[in-house]
Amino acid sequence: MHRPITVDDLRSGGRLARLGSRCLLFPQIDSTNGYLLSRSAELEDGTIAFAELQTAGRGRLGRRWLAPRGSSILLSVLLRERRDSPLVARDTGAPLASLAAAVAACEAIESCCRCSPMLRWPNDVVVGGRKLGGVLAESTPLGSHGDMRALVIGIGINCLQHAGHFDASLAESATSLEIECSHAVDRAALTGALVVRLDERLASSQVACDALQAWRQRCDDVGRGVTLDHDGHRYTGTVVEIDDHGDLVVELLNGGRRCFASATTARSW
Ligand code: BTN
């Protein structure tokens, strides 16, 4: 039996610069991202929300994020950012914030588990080619002046699931730390480590540049084939690079080069 995560677990990784001004724990909620977004006007910068179960967990592009009660890390943080901050630049999907959070997730996993996750554009944390976790960043205007935005960054990490816990459609593509690691997974320790790494990555004054550099080092997409759905069309080609905005640059099979933004692009597994 695994115990629920506590506020002490969230703070157990060490000193925090920005995150943890308030820590909210939910035995059950619709979505931690949804909760923070809908209350962003009254909640403080740095608020963390953690859930044991989400009844309407959100994934990218309107997909669902499913996890049995107590099996996972289901955590979101709220940041109040100026509209011109690199973290909320470009679109509501905040691509650079997503990349920074995905890097933090890899670093936390590596520090607690004998396992080295990689990144798969745009925000998948993968082990052995299977998805272990993902990031969903969402943002909305704050107040009436429009110069501030609420940025909510949500992270899901599959910790304790066994193969049978995954939906049949994910049987080939999803995994968990329990499946991948040869030792017992300490979900509480990993949660503390994740909060610290996220705090470090998001507090960095060079956040955009640092996150991109670290992200590229952990991504082996370059040179590989990829199939993407964008704007009602399917594109196939070879990944050339992840550019400075976090977009995927692809050499298309039928000629030409094209950039794809994560907010509007679905990738076939
Ligand atoms: C994806 O890979 O599609 C992103 C998954 C993000 C899931 C997390 S779980 C915590 C937070 N709350 C949500 O509703 N979604 C994110």
Side-chain angles (χ1 to χ4, degrees):
M1 188 65 184
H2 292 275
R3 64 169 179 82
I5 297 300
T6 63
V7 170
D8 285 348
D9 294 326
L10 289 172
R11 296 181 179 283
S12 64
R15 273 179 71 85
L16 300 171
R18 183 167 182 185
L19 301 184
S21 51
R22 193 158 170 201
C23 295
L24 304 169
L25 296 169
F26 299 98
Q28 178 170 326
I29 196 169
D30 49 0
S31 154
T32 51
N33 265 35
Y35 181 90
L36 292 184
L37 269 180
S38 64
R39 288 163 179 80
S40 54
E42 67 254 31
L43 289 172
E44 295 151 66
D45 179 83
T47 300
I48 302 174
F50 185 99
E52 295 296 337
L53 177 72
Q54 293 185 129
T55 53
R58 305 179 186 174
R60 277 185 69 234
L61 304 168
R63 296 180 187 132
R64 290 182 307 161
W65 186 262
L66 299 169
R69 182 186 296 279
S71 67
S72 298
I73 291 178
L74 305 170
L75 176 143
S76 302
V77 300
L78 168 69
L79 302 181
R80 294 167 150 257
E81 289 286 319
R82 290 185 55 84
R83 200 182 45 180
D84 56 2
S85 147
L87 281 180
V88 288
R90 296 191 74 217
D91 59 50
T92 55
L96 293 176
S98 293
L99 299 190
V103 170
C106 287
E107 291 171 338
I109 292 166
E110 223 161 51
S111 74
C112 292
C113 311
R114 272 168 249 138
C115 150
S116 295
M118 298 289 289
L119 291 167
R120 182 179 178 275
W121 186 89
N123 64 354
D124 294 338
V125 177
V126 297
V127 177
R130 291 174 184 239
K131 182 158 171 166
L132 182 71
V135 175
L136 176 65
E138 302 177 271
S139 93
T140 188
L142 264 180
S144 50
H145 300 302
D147 54 347
M148 293 293 289
R149 291 191 74 85
L151 169 63
V152 173
I153 307 169
I155 303 174
I157 302 177
N158 300 331
C159 295
L160 305 175
Q161 288 93 332
H162 289 202
H165 286 124
F166 294 110
D167 205 73
S169 60
L170 300 176
E172 296 303 313
S173 60
T175 193
S176 72
L177 288 169
E178 183 76 18
I179 295 169
E180 299 297 333
C181 301
S182 53
H183 57 88
V185 176
D186 187 340
R187 189 174 68 117
L190 180 56
T191 303
L194 175 64
V195 172
V196 167
R197 297 298 179 148
L198 200 54
D199 187 64
E200 285 167 1
R201 285 275 161 209
L202 295 173
S204 157
S205 56
Q206 295 285 306
V207 61
C209 162
D210 287 357
L212 265 168
Q213 204 182 350
W215 199 93
R216 286 178 179 130
Q217 281 166 9
R218 287 186 178 268
C219 175
D220 61 1
D221 279 340
V222 173
R224 292 184 188 270
V226 72
T227 301
L228 303 168
D229 291 309
H230 172 80
D231 208 11
H233 297 282
R234 175 154 285 202
Y235 298 87
T236 307
T238 305
V239 175
V240 178
E241 63 162 340
I242 286 89
D243 73 12
D244 290 349
H245 303 294
D247 292 350
L248 193 72
V249 183
V250 178
E251 194 79 54
L252 296 173
L253 261 188
N254 55 5
R257 206 172 255 216
R258 196 178 159 140
C259 287
F260 294 89
S262 57
T264 50
T265 308
R267 178 172 180 179
S268 303
W269 195 260

